[in-house]
Amino acid sequence: MHQCQPLQSNTLIELGKFLQAALSDNQNQIKPILRPFFDETIKAMDESIYENPWFTPQMVRYCFSAWAKTLQKEHVEQWFELENLPAPIAQPDKTVAVIMAGNLPLVGFHDMICVLASGKKLLAKLSSSDKKLPTLFCNILTCIQPGLKPLIHLTEDKISGFDAVIATGSDNTSRYFDYYFGKYPNIIRKNRNSIAVLTGNESPEQLNALADDIFIYYGLGCRNVSMLFVPEGFHFPSLFPSFDHYAHLADLHKYANNYDFYKSIFLINKIPHLDNGFMLMTPNDAIASAVSVIHYQYYKNISEVNSFIESHQDKIQCVVSSANLACNTIAFGQTQLPSLSDYADGVNTLDFLKSI
């Protein structure tokens, strides 16, 4: 029986090294103790699409690559120092339920490692759309650090016996979460999306990077840009070539079905829109947009944008821009590469866990 202990920084660093070696298809770079996971990890990258049709090999590999970068030694050590981690002792008597979403690969993994680093017991309710990847990552963690085993329980069944809840879902599911979990200390996340503010002076490199912010994971994540603010007179056709390297998204039938459906709706209802052959852009002041659709608004001066952002803070996850805005902004191409200290909705998960 291994002594129960909180997640250690070296464990995350070793996971990052393992992922980098797997992505490079270089088994020789992997510690012998982790080599049994090599084939399973390669298989997971290629076959997750059978569990979730949106989890294409390209997108799962991107996810693994993003985690490999995030878990580099300097990033992990900086986070642990900033948050005073790990917890001095494990607290297996305190159980935190994490309700996992399944819209993106491993979308709840950051919550999981926060719980484990805080020394609490993790009770993860896995999504039916993403069961294998979190299980694989937890198995690798416990292989590196066996003392984590008593702190991890993954399930697809109804959960009970927890002291606090972290739940990620939509505006609709949040109502159910509030009903069932409102009596517990909780973090309940609702729908959010991200926006980009263009000045018209962006470089081709910045616009190419904006395409990453829009199209990675098919636009299904809260950190995906779903709405653009552009200056009056902005010439949209000049933007389209920067998006061409994502034309292959139309090869996925689920994405293509969305594109064809909304194109038909726009044409039948004579809704103004621009069409580049795999993406539609339409003037709309709603932040959230459908898959394959991007909303946009014109602005006369930047104060209009600042006012919009301030009045919609609870619906915006990220703001991508090089403009001098009143809020914090993210560089082009970085929305899907959050650091360990980039907490969803701006709520520090570890502060919440320490308060339990």
Side-chain angles (χ1 to χ4, degrees):
M1 184 71 177
H2 297 285
Q3 183 179 1
C4 181
Q5 61 180 169
L7 178 65
Q8 305 293 304
S9 60
N10 285 341
T11 304
L12 288 177
I13 294 167
E14 287 301 326
L15 173 60
K17 291 179 180 177
F18 171 84
L19 292 173
Q20 189 58 57
L23 288 161
S24 303
D25 199 18
N26 191 341
Q27 193 167 177
N28 294 329
Q29 293 181 352
I30 296 173
K31 286 189 173 183
I33 193 174
L34 294 179
R35 285 178 186 169
F37 293 103
F38 182 82
D39 289 340
E40 184 180 356
T41 302
I42 299 298
K43 185 177 180 181
M45 287 190 274
D46 294 334
E47 298 185 7
S48 290
I49 193 171
Y50 300 125
E51 181 175 62
N52 186 329
W54 292 105
F55 288 10
T56 59
Q58 179 188 20
M59 294 306 171
V60 176
R61 285 179 176 273
Y62 180 88
C63 172
F64 283 19
S65 176
W67 273 110
K69 293 174 184 176
T70 299
L71 298 180
Q72 289 177 354
K73 186 175 187 291
E74 60 271 25
H75 301 323
V76 174
E77 290 181 346
Q78 182 182 35
W79 184 51
F80 267 62
E81 182 179 359
L82 176 68
E83 299 290 359
N84 196 25
L85 295 173
I89 58 171
Q91 296 176 280
D93 58 319
K94 294 287 187 179
T95 299
V96 179
V98 175
I99 315 299
M100 310 279 281
N103 56 319
L104 306 183
L106 291 166
V107 71
F109 187 63
H110 187 267
D111 289 332
M112 296 172 78
I113 63 176
C114 283
V115 172
L116 296 173
S118 74
K120 308 296 193 296
K121 186 174 182 179
L122 168 69
L123 173 59
K125 175 70 165 65
L126 300 177
S127 167
S128 60
S129 301
D130 186 16
K131 297 177 290 188
K132 294 181 180 179
L133 296 180
T135 302
L136 170 62
F137 272 45
C138 283
N139 288 340
I140 296 171
L141 289 177
T142 55
C143 180
I144 300 169
Q145 185 184 332
L148 284 173
K149 287 184 179 180
L151 291 179
I152 298 177
H153 181 63
L154 311 180
T155 183
E156 301 172 48
D157 302 324
K158 183 178 179 180
I159 58 174
S160 61
F162 48 85
D163 302 288
V165 179
I166 301 173
T168 301
S170 65
D171 288 346
N172 287 332
T173 59
S174 70
R175 289 195 286 268
Y176 294 98
F177 292 156
D178 282 328
Y179 177 79
Y180 287 109
F181 304 131
K183 64 182 179 181
Y184 301 96
N186 65 68
I187 295 176
I188 295 177
R189 304 190 184 108
K190 304 177 182 180
N191 279 0
R192 289 199 183 216
N193 294 86
S194 298
I195 68 172
V197 181
L198 305 185
T199 65
N201 298 317
E202 286 76 19
S203 67
E205 292 76 18
Q206 286 176 313
L207 295 179
N208 286 337
L210 173 63
D212 296 340
D213 297 323
I214 294 172
F215 295 114
I216 286 175
Y217 304 129
Y218 299 97
L220 290 169
C222 65
R223 298 180 68 89
N224 284 105
V225 168
S226 55
M227 179 185 188
L228 302 179
F229 273 95
V230 297
E232 287 189 340
F234 186 84
H235 185 59
F236 277 103
S238 65
L239 184 63
F240 287 165
S242 301
F243 294 168
D244 285 348
H245 57 291
Y246 278 100
H248 65 274
L249 266 60
D251 296 336
L252 182 71
H253 72 278
K254 288 180 73 69
Y255 182 93
N257 288 345
N258 275 271
Y259 168 76
D260 291 339
F261 174 79
Y262 286 103
K263 182 175 181 177
S264 299
I265 293 295
F266 290 171
L267 290 172
I268 291 170
N269 293 291
K270 297 182 179 179
I271 297 173
H273 66 279
L274 301 168
D275 183 355
N276 75 343
F278 65 92
M279 177 206 67
L280 305 163
M281 302 187 74
T282 186
N284 194 312
D285 61 2
I287 297 172
S289 65
V291 171
S292 78
V293 178
I294 298 297
H295 294 166
Y296 68 85
Q297 279 199 75
Y298 291 108
Y299 67 89
K300 292 181 180 179
N301 55 69
I302 213 69
S303 62
E304 297 174 21
V305 180
N306 285 327
S307 296
F308 180 93
I309 293 172
E310 184 177 0
S311 61
H312 293 80
Q313 290 182 42
D314 62 337
K315 292 296 182 183
I316 298 174
Q317 190 69 262
C318 306
V319 178
V320 178
S321 186
S322 59
N324 185 22
L325 299 174
C327 63
N328 292 329
T329 58
I330 295 177
F332 292 96
Q334 297 301 303
T335 61
Q336 300 301 335
L337 294 170
S339 73
L340 290 165
S341 57
D342 283 331
Y343 299 100
D345 300 356
V347 177
N348 188 311
T349 312
L350 283 163
D351 284 348
F352 165 73
L353 292 166
K354 291 171 185 176
S355 71
I356 299 170

